[in-house]
Amino acid sequence: MPHDAPLITMLALAFVIAFVFGMVAQKFRLSPLVGYLLAGIAVGPHTPGFVADTVLAQQLAEIGVILLMFGVGLHFSPADLMRVRWIAIPGALAQIVVATLLGFAVAQVFGWGLGGGLVFGLALSVASTVVLLRALESRNEVDSDQGRIAVGWLLVEDILMIAALLLLPAFADLLADRPSSGSDSLAYSLLMTVVKISLFAALALVVGRRVIPWLLQHVADTGSRELFTLAVLACALGIAFGAAMLFDVSFALGAFFAGVIMNESDFSHDAAQRSLPFQDAFAVLFFVSVGMLFRPSIIFEAPLAVLAVLLIILLGKSVAAFLIVLAFRHPLTSALTISASLAQIGEFSFILAGLGVSYGLLPPEGRDLIMAGALLSISLNPLLFRALEPVEAWLRARPDLLRKLGSEEHKD
C-alpha cells in the first residue's frame, strides 16, 4: 500500500501533537485550547522543524468552522435569550462598541485604514463561547444567574458576528477604499446579499422545519445509532454545502441554520450528543490550523502592540462589562463573573481575522496580533477567575467605591 497519504498524515499528526500539547496545557492548569494553538505553531511554517500541509489544514479547519457553527445553532435557545434579554442584548451591544472603538483606535495608530480598524476592533470584541462554557462548567455556574447572563451575552455577540461575516464581503471594496465596478455596485452587492440570505433562510426555516424532523424520525425508527449520527452530520454538512453552492452563502451560516432547525426538533438532544465528538475533534483541527498561521516572532517584533491588544481584551472589555452589569443593578458577583468570562477571544476572532485578510482589509500583522491576544488571554483567563474572590472581598470592604460604581451591595 502507498504511504504517501497527505490527508492521513495531516490528521494523524494534528491529533497526536494536539493531544500532547493539550495534556501539557492541562497539567499547567491552562485551557487545552492553548495547547492546540501551540501544537499548530509547532508544526507551522513560522517555526523550525517539520511543516505540516497548510492547504489541507485550512480545508480541515473549514470543516471545524462548519461543525462549530452547527453547534452554536444547535444550542441556540431563543427562550433562554429572552429570559436575560434586558441585560444581555444592550450589554453585549455596548461592550462590542467599546471594544471595537478601542481596537479601531489602535489600528489607526498602525495606519490600517477604516476596514482594517473595523475588522480588528470586532475581532477583539467577541469572546470565545468554548472558553466561556468550560470556565463556567469548572465553577458549576452554567445554570446560575450570572452563568445564564454570560451565555446569553455571548449568544448576542455570536449573532452580531454572524451578521458581520455576512455583510463584510458586500462592504469590502468600500471599507478598503477600492474602486468598484459601478456607482451602484455597493447597493447592488448589498441587495443581492440580503436577497440570497433571505431566500436561503426562508427555504431552510420553512422546508427544513418539515423535512429534517421527518427525516430524523424515520432514521430513529430504524434503531440504528450510526445511521442517526450519519443523518445529523449529513444535515449539518449538506445544508452548509448547499447554502454555499446554491445561494453563495458561507458554509458557516448554512451550518448555523442547520443547527437552529435541528434545535427545534424532538431529537435536538440526541443530535447534540451524536455530533459532539465530531465537533470536538474538528474544533481541535480548527485551532491547530489557526496556530499554523500564527507568526510567534510578532511578540518580540511588536511587544507594545501585543500589550495594547491584551489590555483591550483583559481590561477594556472586562471593565466595560463590569460597569454595564452594575448599571443594570445586578449583584457584584454577577458583574465580576461576567467581566472575567468575557476577558478572552477565540474562534469568531480567528474567522473574522481570516476573512479580513482574504479581502485585503486587515494586514497579516493584524491577524498575528489577534492570535497573540487570543493565545495570551485564553492562558490568563483561569487566573482571572481565581482572582474573583479576592477582588470581590476588596470591593466589599470599600462601600463608598461600590456606591460610586452604582452597586447596592454595600447595603447587604
Side-chain angles (χ1 to χ4, degrees):
M1 292 180 63
H3 294 285
D4 184 17
L7 177 59
I8 296 175
T9 302
M10 181 65 212
L11 286 171
L13 178 69
F15 283 130
V16 170
I17 196 168
F19 169 72
V20 172
F21 277 81
M23 285 295 294
V24 172
Q26 190 73 35
K27 287 290 184 181
F28 285 94
R29 302 183 68 181
L30 298 173
S31 170
L33 298 186
V34 176
Y36 307 152
L37 290 169
L38 291 175
I41 294 172
V43 297
H46 302 294
T47 52
F50 177 82
V51 177
D53 189 326
T54 55
V55 175
L56 271 178
Q58 290 175 6
Q59 293 178 8
L60 292 172
E62 192 70 52
I63 300 177
V65 171
I66 290 172
L67 292 177
L68 280 170
M69 293 304 299
F70 175 68
V72 171
L74 197 56
H75 293 92
F76 176 75
S77 174
D80 290 344
L81 179 57
M82 287 299 101
R83 278 196 283 268
V84 295
R85 66 188 183 279
W86 298 114
I87 181 171
I89 295 176
L93 286 170
Q95 180 252 299
I96 285 176
V97 169
V98 170
T100 301
L101 289 176
L102 291 173
F104 183 86
V106 171
Q108 297 316 296
V109 173
F110 299 139
W112 291 346
L114 176 62
L118 182 62
V119 172
F120 189 68
L122 285 173
L124 298 184
S125 70
V126 58
S128 167
T129 306
V130 176
V131 175
L132 169 72
L133 289 175
R134 290 181 180 177
L136 293 176
E137 287 169 357
S138 67
R139 294 168 58 87
N140 296 318
E141 291 186 342
V142 174
D143 295 323
S144 65
D145 289 339
Q146 56 263 33
R148 293 191 186 96
I149 294 173
V151 172
W153 194 302
L154 258 292
L155 192 56
V156 175
E157 287 191 354
D158 289 349
I159 294 171
L160 291 173
M161 291 308 115
I162 290 172
L165 292 173
L166 293 173
L167 295 175
L168 200 58
F171 286 92
D173 288 337
L174 177 66
L175 292 173
D177 197 23
R178 289 190 294 258
S180 50
S181 57
S183 58
D184 62 343
S185 61
L186 173 61
Y188 177 77
S189 177
L190 185 59
L191 176 62
M192 290 305 298
T193 299
V194 172
V195 169
K196 289 176 181 178
I197 293 171
S198 300
L199 285 174
F200 168 68
L203 184 64
L205 294 176
V206 175
V207 178
R209 283 176 174 173
R210 298 175 182 271
V211 174
I212 290 181
W214 174 84
L215 174 64
L216 293 179
Q217 179 65 62
H218 278 269
V219 175
D221 289 342
T222 67
S224 172
R225 292 188 305 171
E226 59 268 24
L227 275 179
F228 188 85
T229 302
L230 187 59
V232 172
L233 293 176
C235 288
L237 295 172
I239 292 176
F241 181 78
M245 294 299 103
L246 299 178
F247 297 95
D248 196 26
V249 174
S250 69
F251 289 118
L253 180 66
F256 173 75
F257 269 99
V260 171
I261 295 167
M262 202 168 293
N263 183 38
E264 296 186 359
S265 75
D266 295 334
F267 301 95
S268 59
H269 179 72
D270 288 339
Q273 291 295 107
R274 302 292 186 195
S275 63
L276 186 59
F278 294 95
Q279 291 179 41
D280 289 342
F282 280 95
V284 168
L285 295 177
F286 169 72
F287 286 107
V288 170
S289 67
V290 167
M292 290 175 64
L293 297 174
F294 179 53
R295 187 167 55 90
S297 59
I298 191 71
I299 297 175
F300 306 101
E301 294 173 1
L304 293 180
V306 173
L307 179 61
V309 168
L310 194 59
L311 288 177
I312 291 173
I313 298 170
L314 296 184
L315 288 182
K317 290 172 60 179
S318 295
V319 171
F322 178 76
L323 295 176
I324 290 167
V325 175
L326 288 185
F328 278 84
R329 301 299 181 186
H330 281 264
L332 178 62
T333 301
S334 296
L336 289 172
T337 300
I338 293 168
S339 62
S341 300
L342 301 175
Q344 39 83 14
I345 59 175
E347 53 274 6
F348 265 114
S349 304
F350 302 142
I351 298 171
L352 273 169
L355 190 64
V357 171
S358 67
Y359 279 100
L361 299 173
L362 185 70
E365 293 80 8
R367 181 179 59 192
D368 291 336
L369 289 174
I370 290 169
M371 292 182 182
L375 187 63
L376 294 172
S377 64
I378 294 173
S379 300
L380 294 173
N381 197 247
L383 300 179
L384 294 180
F385 273 99
R386 291 175 206 163
L388 289 183
E389 290 185 7
V391 171
E392 183 176 356
W394 185 87
L395 286 172
R396 287 185 185 278
R398 291 160 176 78
D400 291 339
L401 177 59
L402 283 178
R403 191 179 299 110
K404 291 178 181 178
L405 292 174
S407 172
E408 298 182 1
E409 292 282 319
H410 57 281
K411 295 181 181 179
D412 296 343

